[in-house]
Amino acid sequence: MTDIVALDLLGRAMHAISLDGKNVRTLVDGLDRMPDGVVVDQLRGHIYWTNMGTPDAPPAPGVEPEFFSRNGSIERVDLDGGNRTTIVPIGGFTTGKQLTADFEGGRLYWCDREGMQVLTCDLHGDDLRPLVITGQGDIDARIPRNWCVGICLDLDRRLLYWTQKGEAKGGDGRIFRAPLDLPAGADPAARTDIELLWENLPEPIDLELYGVGDLVWTDRGAAPNGNALYEAQIQPNVGTPRIISSGYREAIGVTGFDTRFYVSDLGGTIRLVDVGTGTDTDLVRIGSPLTGIALADL
């Protein structure tokens, strides 16, 4: 049976939620390192997630903290929540955000926000290396324009997509695309093959591919253009972004299949958005800030 796997910040837990929203159970508790991105390896029976780590200052209630020292990590459990294992140890990077994978190729991919990088490693946490570096040093790390947050892969075309969110509610968000495979000897801090798809976005966060040539993403910017779910064509041409759902309380995670998308927010809600039928409704309210979500057959 397919469930939604959701990361709960204040509850410090990973939940499994039925697709009708009626059943919620905790798979893993004790997640005390600010979990953010999650991806499911159905074939091997694993769930991976990133940890932001411990913020430098406590956030306001219901607000995701920003600015972390280098204390991010990646963990893994079995589909039943057992055998919890650290894959990338604390301090392996700065701030773990959205996580995705090429499971056939045996690699994880994620964004490191204050680390200003797009990173990859194998499924054991080895061969950790950057694919994109958008800034370096403490001064650059304080500039939200450099912060990489959301990520998704087009494995058929070997393309990488990611967001750089910009200042909170600042209208300086951008979405980029580049070849997934970094050429041998190329400098990830000086890539010449990066394409800027859109700029001046409210505050783009997590990404998901949709169909054969579209992208959807969550946006935490100010209303009326922010706190929304966006969609835009990316193949064969790059189209103009449009809002397909709005009214979120700090939209974060997105996952889905066919025409159905599930969107989480820091208000503790998961919403079902079906662009085929026009359905746009709250599916479940956890009552605690939610970050990354993914689908899993548990």
Side-chain angles (χ1 to χ4, degrees):
M1 179 178 296
T2 301
D3 288 296
I4 304 164
V5 174
L7 299 175
D8 180 339
L9 281 184
L10 289 185
R12 298 183 175 185
M14 177 190 296
H15 303 303
I17 303 164
S18 61
L19 293 186
D20 61 8
K22 295 180 179 179
N23 297 305
V24 179
R25 59 190 175 93
T26 298
L27 276 178
V28 187
D29 57 17
L31 305 188
D32 58 357
R33 304 292 300 177
M34 302 291 291
D36 189 89
V38 61
V39 70
V40 178
D41 183 349
Q42 203 68 55
L43 179 63
R44 298 174 183 85
H46 294 144
I47 304 171
Y48 296 83
W49 72 93
T50 59
N51 292 308
M52 291 185 279
T54 304
D56 293 352
V63 176
E64 183 190 18
E66 292 186 343
F67 207 82
F68 289 68
S69 297
R70 190 179 176 91
N71 54 22
S73 60
I74 295 180
E75 296 184 72
R76 184 189 73 198
V77 291
D78 295 343
L79 293 179
D80 62 3
N83 293 322
R84 184 174 173 181
T85 303
T86 298
I87 300 302
V88 178
I90 294 170
F93 51 91
T94 305
T95 316
K97 300 302 289 180
Q98 190 177 11
L99 175 68
T100 190
D102 172 7
F103 286 120
E104 288 189 7
R107 299 200 68 84
L108 301 171
Y109 297 82
W110 69 99
C111 282
D112 180 357
R113 189 174 66 190
E114 280 90 346
M116 303 167 289
Q117 303 177 94
V118 177
L119 296 170
T120 182
C121 70
D122 67 24
L123 299 183
H124 304 288
D126 298 323
D127 189 32
L128 194 162
R129 48 189 165 86
L131 297 176
V132 178
I133 298 174
T134 63
Q136 299 183 63
D138 290 342
I139 294 176
D140 284 354
R142 299 278 177 177
I143 302 173
R145 201 167 203 263
N146 296 328
W147 290 355
C148 305
V149 177
I151 185 172
C152 69
L153 308 178
D154 182 342
L155 293 175
D156 291 336
R157 298 177 178 87
R158 303 298 296 174
L159 293 172
L160 163 71
Y161 293 83
W162 74 95
T163 64
Q164 289 175 221
K165 80 180 195 72
E167 193 78 41
K169 319 303 181 191
D172 194 28
R174 295 173 291 167
I175 298 179
F176 296 87
R177 174 169 67 189
L180 179 58
D181 304 304
L182 185 67
D187 182 356
R191 293 186 65 159
T192 60
D193 55 357
I194 293 174
E195 180 182 2
L196 172 62
L197 300 181
W198 302 286
E199 59 184 338
N200 302 319
L201 300 174
E203 194 182 349
I205 306 297
D206 284 4
L207 296 165
E208 179 89 349
L209 288 179
Y210 166 40
V212 296
D214 292 298
L215 192 69
V216 297
W217 66 89
T218 54
D219 192 293
R220 289 178 56 190
N225 295 320
N227 270 311
L229 181 66
Y230 274 82
E231 181 269 341
Q233 179 179 300
I234 50 173
Q235 296 290 346
N237 302 305
V238 177
T240 301
R242 68 183 184 94
I243 293 174
I244 57 176
S245 178
S246 60
Y248 295 90
R249 296 173 60 192
E250 304 293 312
I252 302 287
V254 58
T255 188
F257 62 94
D258 296 331
T259 63
R260 298 165 63 91
F261 295 98
Y262 302 89
V263 182
S264 63
D265 67 23
L266 290 183
T269 297
I270 295 178
R271 190 185 295 187
L272 169 61
V273 180
D274 191 327
V275 296
T277 64
T279 301
D280 189 343
T281 184
D282 288 353
L283 184 70
V284 63
R285 295 185 180 184
I286 300 297
S288 180
L290 300 175
T291 52
I293 57 177
L295 296 176
D297 292 331
L298 302 177

